[in-house]
């Protein structure tokens, strides 16, 4: 199983405004099949609470901040994302939830697979059993 990690992105500093970018396989370790974003999150809401059997993700806080909480079946890891020039890589088979969204937070999520309902594991005990298979 791979490891989650913070990946720094290029940051082109410019008095006209800064610019960052992501290229598949150069900055993140997979080919991008899908992008989606989460926005207008009401205070106190939690997204996620599931794992993917195959999908890998890269999450960037384009605006505002939030916490990504990961669980590998043994340990929990909390990442606070609040800048648009780095992101969090999440390998497959990692339980994840996103919480503590700030007002007007805007998260961009890049995925290694197209949306596939059957890739989700939504039960934590089933996730742990899958890890042992
Ligand atoms: P879901 O991944 O369950 O949201 P979260 O994990 O953030 O709580 O997705 C919510 C709904 O959106 C679900 O009905 C499926 C749909 N959806 C798509 O159709 N395509 C996508 O790429 C994603 C991520 C979700």
């Amino acid at each position: 199983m791979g490891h989650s990690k913070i990946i720094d992105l290029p940051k082109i500093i410019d008095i006209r405004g800064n610019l960052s970018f992501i290229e598949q396989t150069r900055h993140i370790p997979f080919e991008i099949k899908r992008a989606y974003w989460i926005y207008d999150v009401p205070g106190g809401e939690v997204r996620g609470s599931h794992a993917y059997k195959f999908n890998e993700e890269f999450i960037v806080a384009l605006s505002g901040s939030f916490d990504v909480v990961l669980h590998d079946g043994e340990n929990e890891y909390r990442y606070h994302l609040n800048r648009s020039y780095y992101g969090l890589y999440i390998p497959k088979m990692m339980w994840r939830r996103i919480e503590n969204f700030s007002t007007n937070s805007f998260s961009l999520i890049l995925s290694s697979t197209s949306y596939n309902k059957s890739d989700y594991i939504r039960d934590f005990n089933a996730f742990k059993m899958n890890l042992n298979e």
Side-chain angles (χ1 to χ4, degrees), residues 2 6 8-9 13 24 26 31-32 41 47 49 59 67 69 99-100 107 115 118 123 131-132:
I6 293 289
D8 290 320
L9 298 169
I13 295 170
Q24 60 182 359
R26 181 172 166 209
E31 291 191 10
I32 300 163
V41 180
R47 304 283 323 207
S49 296
I59 304 184
D67 293 344
V69 185
E99 63 186 27
N100 200 20
S107 57
Y115 176 70
S118 64
D123 178 82
L131 283 171
N132 297 328

Side-chain angles (χ1 to χ4, degrees), residues 36-79:
Y36 65 96
W37 42 100
I38 297 173
Y39 52 98
D40 292 347
V41 180
E45 282 297 343
V46 176
R47 304 283 323 207
S49 296
H50 55 69
Y52 298 112
K53 289 180 217 160
F54 295 106
N55 188 44
E56 300 166 60
E57 289 190 326
F58 185 69
I59 304 184
V60 186
L62 287 185
S63 178
S65 65
F66 47 83
D67 293 344
V68 183
V69 185
L70 303 180
H71 204 296
D72 63 7
E74 287 185 9
N75 298 301
E76 189 174 271
Y77 309 88
R78 179 178 291 268
Y79 294 90

Side-chain angles (χ1 to χ4, degrees), residues 18-30:
N18 299 336
L19 182 152
S20 290
F21 57 96
I22 302 168
E23 290 181 16
Q24 60 182 359
T25 68
R26 181 172 166 209
H27 303 115
I28 57 174
F30 58 82

Side-chain angles (χ1 to χ4, degrees), residues 56-121:
E56 300 166 60
E57 289 190 326
F58 185 69
I59 304 184
V60 186
L62 287 185
S63 178
S65 65
F66 47 83
D67 293 344
V68 183
V69 185
L70 303 180
H71 204 296
D72 63 7
E74 287 185 9
N75 298 301
E76 189 174 271
Y77 309 88
R78 179 178 291 268
Y79 294 90
H80 184 64
L81 300 187
N82 62 355
R83 292 285 183 271
S84 59
Y85 50 81
Y86 66 79
L88 176 65
Y89 167 70
I90 307 177
K92 64 183 178 180
M93 283 305 285
M94 188 70 85
W95 191 263
R96 83 207 232 318
R97 69 175 191 274
I98 312 176
E99 63 186 27
N100 200 20
F101 289 91
S102 70
T103 306
N104 290 332
S105 69
F106 178 38
S107 57
L108 173 69
I109 300 156
L110 303 176
S111 297
S112 68
T113 66
S114 303
Y115 176 70
N116 177 3
K117 200 175 165 186
S118 64
D119 193 39
Y120 284 67
I121 304 174

